[in-house]
Amino acid sequence: IGAIEFENRVKEKSFAYIFEQLMKEYDLNSPQLEKIFDVSKTTISNWKNGKATPDMDKLKEIARYFNVNIFIL
């Protein structure tokens, strides 16, 4: 496995990648998610860019909203 392939595999398993995919699947934008999860614009941006991940309580909330197992996130 090459370095680029490895990097792509890791990226696909990251919260940021999965969160972006769920946003697309549910046709949601950042302002909508700010309201749904009661978080700031910066928080959503940080989640999407991989600069931060939600705490456990917020992860549970996200998993419930998107109807996915928390371990997927």
Side-chain angles (χ1 to χ4, degrees):
I1 185 171
I4 293 173
E5 185 179 345
F6 177 77
E7 183 178 329
N8 288 338
R9 285 185 185 181
V10 170
K11 187 179 195 179
E12 289 175 0
K13 304 240 185 277
S14 72
F15 173 81
Y17 177 84
I18 293 166
F19 190 64
E20 284 272 12
Q21 295 305 306
L22 289 168
M23 286 178 66
K24 289 176 187 175
E25 184 177 327
Y26 281 73
D27 195 29
L28 294 169
N29 58 37
S30 294
Q32 291 170 313
L33 291 171
E34 292 165 29
K35 291 178 184 176
I36 291 166
F37 298 118
D38 192 30
V39 295
S40 70
K41 180 178 182 178
T42 302
T43 297
I44 295 293
S45 177
N46 286 342
W47 290 351
K48 289 171 49 179
N49 296 320
K51 294 181 181 177
T53 54
D55 63 25
M56 187 56 71
D57 289 335
K58 196 58 76 174
L59 278 173
K60 289 176 184 175
E61 185 180 341
I62 293 167
R64 276 192 303 271
Y65 182 84
F66 289 113
N67 196 30
V68 296
N69 188 308
I70 193 167
F71 295 108
I72 289 173
L73 302 175

